[in-house]
């Protein structure tokens, strides 16, 4: 009798949960069917955080089972789209829906429809409820919608300007020069990902806060004993985003939590104190009528003060908390994205000596004898089209972040091809970046190859003069309404750090390939071509989704850097 009761007490809630899950799935299926789009039913919602943390470990078990589970093992994990590329859209069409017990997720690989979604910014909004956690230092550009977002966007847009990009330019070249020095001092390099992280952090502290550091390689960095500075606290925060955003900074200081989390808590305090001191300092110098520098933090304080004094309405500026929130989100959104892209880009270009020569030709034509570290950003950056092509081509195939939109509370009609489909309220929309970026319809037969030259069109006649050829080259642009390339998003919510990251990437290439070349370390019995093919295959296999897309085992990328 009691045993039966215990059994019921255990089984009833589980049974209830299963019934409820099936019920939710049916409701979503019924809604999704009304769209007339192909449906793929999945048992677990893609946004389920518990599932997200175990999916790639659990699924191999299901793959070994002899029967069924095909769609589950193919689609129901984070990062499936990298492996799948455009295959699912080839099978099912430009749009299909993942029906899950949580939400319905529309996957869409149609450039016109995606442009339409970006353009209708009031209808297809960012599901900010998923981003609540990024508010730890204050509300910000990334986590607001509607009028609040407009206020944030207006102020923050003034910070991402050419003056700031100029800081990015000089700092990136200087850091890359330091990185090359470190790399050439070693017989082989296996710290590409660590080193690009250091580089990206240093560029961010220079352009974000006006704090300049010299580059230090992975080994030197590990042995250095720094006091807890802004840079270290930021590094600790960014390396531990997940517990931080999961728990909130104030819950990290409990005596029963592990020591490392208390350290994380101290880092948040140091970081906030640092922001406060810069904030106070800058407010004072605004009041004293002093001219400011162009880093993001000081520009933000000034732009906000200007907005308030401009129309005498303190509602149009940002509060102190909001300024901290934005500075945090710039770091959060800008650091790993750029660092991972650089790591992919450097590994990829190591497999292509021809591409290294191709950009080196441009770099040398543009710089001549000028010292890149002190060169003019405004004059020279726009001429480095081949270098920019390497950046675009890298984020085309290895896109660091996905975009998520939602229909919000209303049904939304959307034209896909020549049909209009009505999307139910609360449908999640994922522009299928991995398919859009590789579909042969947009990129031709070599769409899966890493080929930077696809971004350059040349009207060069028969000239063999390098300067003539370079001058005649144009950077390829898609038209706005038919643009399948969405690595930096598009429309009103386009990435504000787009140019920042492009300038950084190009600056690093300049620092690396003006005088140097890189190639993979040869294993016993390999020639150069085999080593390059092995590295290319390794990058392809090793690209995986953590918080962002990254190389999962970057230490397997072994390179040699030599003067040319
Ligand atoms: C390779 C580098 C980068 C890539 C590929 C990238 C990509 C993106 C994408 C796709 C979005 C839109 C996300 C969505 O709609 O859900 C976005 C938003 C954003 N990015 Fe970037 N980003 C990069 C670098 C940066 C940098 C360097 C910064 C800052 C310094 C930055 C700051 C932001 C911010 C603040 C947002 C939110 C904008 C808003 O909601 O209005 N990003 N980025
Ligand atoms: C499984 O996926 C295929 C497409 O690969 C689709 O046609 C089929 O309807 C899906 N099955 C279920 C039950 O969702
Ligand atoms: C605007 O001023 C009011 C009262 O003076 C104050 O309570 C509020 O916090 C201010 N808002 C901002 C954005 O500074």
């Amino acid at each position: 009798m009691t045993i039966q009761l215990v059994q019921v007490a255990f089984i009833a809630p589980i049974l209830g949960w299963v019934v409820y899950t099936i019920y939710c799935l049916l409701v979503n299926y019924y809604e999704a069917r009304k769209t007339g789009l192909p449906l793929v039913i999945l048992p677990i919602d893609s946004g389920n955080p518990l599932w997200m943390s175990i999916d790639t470990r659990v699924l191999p078990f299901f793959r070994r089972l002899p029967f069924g589970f095909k769609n589950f093992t193919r689609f129901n994990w984070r990062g499936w789209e990298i492996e799948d590329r455009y295959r699912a859209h080839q099978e099912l069409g430009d749009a299909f829906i993942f029906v899950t017990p949580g939400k319905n997720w529309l996957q869409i690989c149609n450039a016109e429809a995606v442009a339409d979604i970006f353009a209708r910014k009031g209808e297809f909004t960012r599901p900010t409820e998923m981003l609540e956690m990024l508010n730890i230092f204050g509300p910000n550009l990334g986590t607001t919608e509607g009028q609040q977002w407009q206020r944030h966007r207006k102020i923050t847009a003034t910070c991402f300007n050419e003056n700031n990009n100029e800081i990015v330019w000089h700092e990136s070249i200087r850091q890359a020069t330091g990185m090359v020095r470190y790399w050439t001092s070693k017989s082989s390099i296996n710290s590409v990902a660590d080193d690009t992280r250091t580089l990206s952090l240093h560029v961010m502290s220079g352009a974000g806060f006006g704090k300049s550091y010299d580059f230090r390689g992975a080994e030197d960095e590990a042995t250095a004993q720094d006091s807890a500075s802004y840079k270290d606290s930021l590094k600790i925060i960014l390396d531990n985003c997940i517990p931080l955003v999961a728990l909130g900074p104030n819950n990290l200081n409990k005596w029963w939590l592990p020591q490392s989390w208390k350290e994380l808590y101290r880092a948040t305090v140091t970081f906030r104190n640092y922001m406060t001191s810069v904030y106070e300092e800058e407010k004072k110098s605004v009041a004293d009528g002093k001219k400011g520098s162009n880093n993001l933090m000081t520009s933000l304080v000034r732009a906000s003060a200007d907005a308030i004094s401009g129309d005498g309405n303190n509602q149009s500026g940002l509060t102190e908390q909001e300024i901290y929130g934005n500075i945090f989100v710039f770091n959060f959104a800008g650091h790993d994205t750029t660092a991972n892209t650089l790591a992919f880009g450097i590994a990829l270009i190591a497999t292509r000596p021809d591409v290294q020569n191709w950009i080196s030709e441009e770099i040398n034509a543009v710089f001549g004898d000028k010292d890149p570290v002190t060169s003019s950003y405004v004059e020279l950056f726009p001429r480095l089209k081949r270098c920019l092509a390497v950046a675009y081509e890298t984020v085309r195939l290895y896109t660091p972040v996905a975009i998520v939109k939602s229909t919000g509370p209303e049904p939304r009609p959307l034209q896909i091809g020549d049909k209009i489909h009505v999307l139910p309220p609360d449908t999640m929309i994922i522009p299928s970046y991995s398919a859009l970026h590789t579909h042969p319809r947009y990129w031709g037969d070599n769409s899966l190859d890493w080929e930077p030259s696809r971004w350059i069109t040349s009207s060069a006649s028969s000239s063999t003069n390098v300067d003539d050829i370079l001058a005649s080259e144009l950077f390829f642009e898609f038209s706005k309404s038919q643009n399948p390339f969405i690595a930096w998003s598009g429309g009103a919510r386009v990435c504000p750090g787009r140019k920042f990251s492009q300038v950084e990437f190009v600056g690093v290439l300049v620092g690396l390939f003006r005088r140097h070349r890189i190639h993979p370390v040869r294993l016993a019995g390999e020639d150069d071509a085999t080593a390059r093919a092995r590295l290319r295959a390794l990058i392809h296999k090793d690209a995986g989704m953590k918080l962002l897309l990254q190389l999962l085992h970057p230490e397997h990328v072994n390179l040699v850097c030599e003067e040319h």
Side-chain angles (χ1 to χ4, degrees):
M1 171 69 188
T2 39
I3 290 182
Q4 275 167 356
L5 260 181
V6 170
Q7 278 173 348
V8 169
F10 269 107
I11 292 170
I14 296 177
L15 207 66
W17 175 76
V18 170
V19 170
Y20 178 70
T21 304
I22 293 173
Y23 167 78
C24 293
L25 189 67
L26 284 174
V27 170
N28 286 345
Y29 176 76
Y30 177 75
E31 281 295 313
R33 219 177 48 170
K34 291 194 241 167
T35 62
L37 291 166
L39 309 180
V40 176
I41 297 166
L42 299 178
I44 305 172
D45 188 79
S46 339
N48 181 324
L50 183 64
W51 177 243
M52 269 157 59
S53 58
I54 57 168
D55 54 358
T56 47
R57 267 168 284 167
V58 174
L59 281 177
F61 168 75
F62 283 90
R63 287 199 187 102
R64 257 179 270 132
L65 298 179
F67 45 85
F69 299 122
K70 277 265 161 13
N71 288 355
F72 175 54
T73 54
R74 178 174 172 194
F75 296 122
N76 215 333
W77 53 287
R78 252 164 62 82
W80 72 272
E81 71 275 20
I82 305 295
E83 199 169 292
D84 203 77
R85 293 303 191 190
Y86 58 89
R87 203 154 56 91
H89 283 284
Q90 211 171 33
E91 287 167 27
L92 296 166
D94 282 2
F96 61 89
I97 298 180
F98 285 148
V99 178
T100 80
K103 306 250 171 168
N104 285 332
W105 300 77
L106 174 77
Q107 311 284 318
I108 181 153
C109 171
N110 177 297
E112 286 94 339
V114 169
D116 192 23
I117 290 168
F118 286 158
R120 289 154 66 186
K121 65 169 195 255
E123 295 175 68
F124 296 103
T125 54
R126 173 169 303 170
T128 47
E129 69 276 8
M130 288 167 58
L131 300 165
E132 206 46 38
M133 59 205 192
L134 289 181
N135 282 332
I136 47 176
F137 289 96
N140 60 64
L141 184 62
T143 59
T144 47
E145 254 299 326
Q147 282 186 345
Q148 292 301 324
W149 173 79
Q150 256 160 19
R151 183 169 55 90
H152 282 269
R153 187 77 182 197
K154 205 170 147 206
I155 306 273
T156 52
T158 60
C159 310
F160 291 99
N161 56 31
E162 291 292 73
N163 293 326
N164 186 253
N165 291 336
E166 177 148 12
I167 307 179
V168 175
W169 172 253
H170 290 298
E171 201 57 65
S172 304
I173 297 175
R174 203 173 69 82
Q175 294 297 325
T177 310
M179 190 166 74
V180 166
R181 202 173 301 132
Y182 173 66
W183 284 0
T184 46
S185 75
K186 293 169 59 97
S187 56
S188 83
I189 312 148
N190 63 1
S191 56
V192 173
D194 285 339
D195 291 337
T196 56
R197 267 183 81 79
T198 303
L199 184 148
S200 156
L201 187 67
H202 287 190
V203 172
M204 187 61 87
S205 50
F209 292 96
K211 285 249 173 189
S212 221
Y213 299 93
D214 286 335
F215 181 84
R216 272 201 312 228
E219 275 168 18
D220 310 344
E221 187 80 346
T223 55
Q225 298 278 323
D226 266 334
S227 60
S229 65
Y230 144 75
K231 190 186 101 180
D232 301 298
S233 60
L234 181 59
K235 186 169 153 47
I236 295 172
I237 292 170
L238 294 176
D239 286 348
N240 295 284
C241 279
I242 295 177
L244 184 59
V245 295
L247 287 177
N250 297 328
N251 294 325
L252 291 168
N253 200 25
K254 304 276 184 278
W255 59 268
W256 42 268
L257 284 173
Q259 190 57 31
S260 61
W261 291 17
K262 286 178 201 148
E263 203 177 304
L264 178 56
Y265 171 77
R266 280 194 294 276
T268 65
V269 173
T270 310
F271 187 63
R272 198 190 302 264
N273 287 345
Y274 179 75
M275 290 196 292
T276 308
S277 71
V278 178
Y279 178 77
E280 296 297 341
E281 221 171 276
E282 199 57 27
K283 263 182 60 170
K284 193 160 166 301
S285 75
V286 173
D288 297 348
K290 286 202 202 114
K291 198 171 166 297
S293 49
N294 292 312
N295 65 65
L296 297 177
M297 177 81 198
T298 58
S299 302
L300 205 51
V301 177
R302 279 170 185 267
S304 192
D306 288 350
I308 293 169
S309 65
D311 49 15
N313 172 6
N314 77 354
Q315 300 299 309
S316 48
L318 299 176
T319 65
E320 189 176 337
Q321 292 308 315
E322 289 170 333
I323 289 178
Y324 299 164
N326 278 298
I327 288 294
F328 172 71
V329 96
F330 296 167
N331 283 291
F332 182 85
H335 174 48
D336 281 304
T337 44
T338 315
N340 295 357
T341 302
L342 279 168
F344 275 116
I346 289 169
L348 286 161
I349 205 170
T351 69
R352 291 290 299 272
D354 58 324
V355 176
Q356 297 181 39
N357 290 336
W358 183 66
I359 63 166
S360 162
E361 185 172 73
E362 177 181 78
I363 294 167
N364 287 311
V366 167
F367 285 93
D369 301 329
K370 292 194 200 83
D371 178 5
V373 177
T374 54
S375 63
S376 158
Y377 158 72
V378 190
E379 201 185 309
L380 303 183
F381 173 76
R383 293 173 58 197
L384 295 162
K385 290 166 270 192
R386 292 178 178 180
C387 293
L388 188 62
V390 175
Y392 269 63
E393 187 65 354
T394 303
V395 291
R396 180 179 74 87
L397 288 184
Y398 299 96
T399 314
V401 251
I403 302 161
V404 188
K405 303 275 186 200
S406 164
T407 51
E410 307 273 331
R412 311 277 181 204
L414 181 70
Q415 177 159 2
I416 305 168
D418 46 20
K419 264 216 179 111
I420 293 181
H421 300 266
V422 179
L423 306 174
D426 207 23
T427 304
M428 293 292 157
I429 300 172
I430 307 281
S432 304
Y433 66 90
S434 185
L436 282 162
H437 287 179
T438 57
H439 203 296
R441 180 205 298 160
Y442 304 117
W443 308 93
D445 290 341
N446 69 350
S447 66
L448 295 173
D449 300 341
W450 185 79
E451 198 52 76
S453 64
R454 74 173 77 244
W455 294 96
I456 301 293
T457 57
S458 174
S459 54
S461 43
S462 51
S463 175
T464 51
N465 178 302
V466 176
D467 291 321
D468 290 347
I469 296 174
L470 286 168
S472 77
E473 287 181 349
L474 294 173
F475 199 83
F476 177 77
E477 299 277 1
F478 287 98
S479 79
K480 237 202 183 96
S481 62
Q482 286 181 329
N483 182 1
F485 179 74
I486 54 167
W488 280 281
S489 190
R493 276 202 108 129
V494 66
C495 171
R498 179 174 56 171
K499 189 129 190 214
F500 183 120
S501 50
Q502 292 172 0
V503 171
E504 177 169 342
F505 194 107
V506 170
V508 170
L509 293 184
V510 168
L512 271 177
F513 294 106
R514 200 160 97 99
R515 297 253 168 76
H516 294 80
R517 296 290 187 274
I518 53 177
H519 64 83
V521 172
R522 282 187 301 266
L523 299 181
E526 274 185 338
D527 61 11
D528 280 324
T530 333
R532 291 197 295 262
R534 176 177 49 80
L535 177 58
R536 184 67 189 87
L538 185 146
I539 298 166
H540 178 74
K541 250 186 57 196
D542 200 46
M545 202 63 95
K546 285 277 177 85
L547 197 57
L548 305 169
L549 185 73
Q550 63 177 76
L551 285 164
L552 297 176
H553 304 95
E555 68 282 3
H556 295 169
V557 175
N558 290 317
L559 305 178
V560 176
C561 179
E562 284 165 340
E563 191 144 352
H564 182 62

